[in-house]
Amino acid sequence: MIGDSIVNSAMQRALDGVWERQRSITTNLSNYDTPEYKARVVNFEDELRKEVLKIQETAHTRSEIAARLGEVEKSRIDITKDPTISERMDGNNVNLDAESIELAKAQIQYMYLTNSMTNMYSRLKKAINGNG
C-alpha cells in the first residue's frame, strides 16, 4: 500500500510520542502549585528506535516489512513520574524553567515531524501525478 514504510510508521509513532510529551508537560506546568505533585516524563525514542532496527535487521522483503510495521506503530510510549527529589517544601518537583524548555523543544519536534510528513506525501503525490 502507498505510504506503508518504516519511515512513515516511525514518523507517525514519533508524532504520537511528542504529542504525549506536550500533554504531560502542560499537565506538569498546570500543577506547579499542587503540593506533592510529581512531574510526568515521557519516553518513547529508545523503544521506537529498537523496533525500527529490529525490522531493518530481520525483514528483507517489502511483504516482510509491511507485515511488521504494526510493531513500530505500537511501540511503547512510557509515561512515568520524575524521580527527581523536590527542592521545594511542598514536595512538588516541577521545574518551570526546565519544563518550559522541554515544551519548546517538543513543539519544534512536532512541527518538524508534521512538515516532514507533509513533504513526503507531497513528493509522493507529484510522483503519482507525474508532476515531478
Side-chain angles (χ1 to χ4, degrees), residues 1-70:
M1 174 184 245
I2 294 175
D4 282 349
S5 70
I6 295 173
V7 172
N8 185 47
S9 296
M11 282 198 296
Q12 287 180 7
R13 194 57 178 166
L15 279 168
D16 294 340
V18 173
W19 179 258
E20 280 300 324
R21 182 170 287 143
Q22 287 178 338
R23 285 184 49 198
S24 291
I25 292 169
T26 57
T27 299
N28 293 344
L29 291 170
S30 66
N31 281 288
Y32 178 74
D33 291 323
T34 304
E36 299 299 321
Y37 178 81
K38 301 300 178 199
R40 296 178 184 172
V41 179
V42 175
N43 295 303
F44 67 92
E45 292 92 340
D46 291 339
E47 186 69 24
L48 179 58
R49 186 177 302 110
K50 183 176 83 175
E51 293 299 331
V52 168
L53 288 174
K54 192 185 321 178
I55 290 175
Q56 289 176 334
E57 292 171 357
T58 60
H60 304 291
T61 65
R62 286 183 189 254
S63 60
E64 289 175 340
I65 291 170
R68 309 256 320 266
L69 289 178

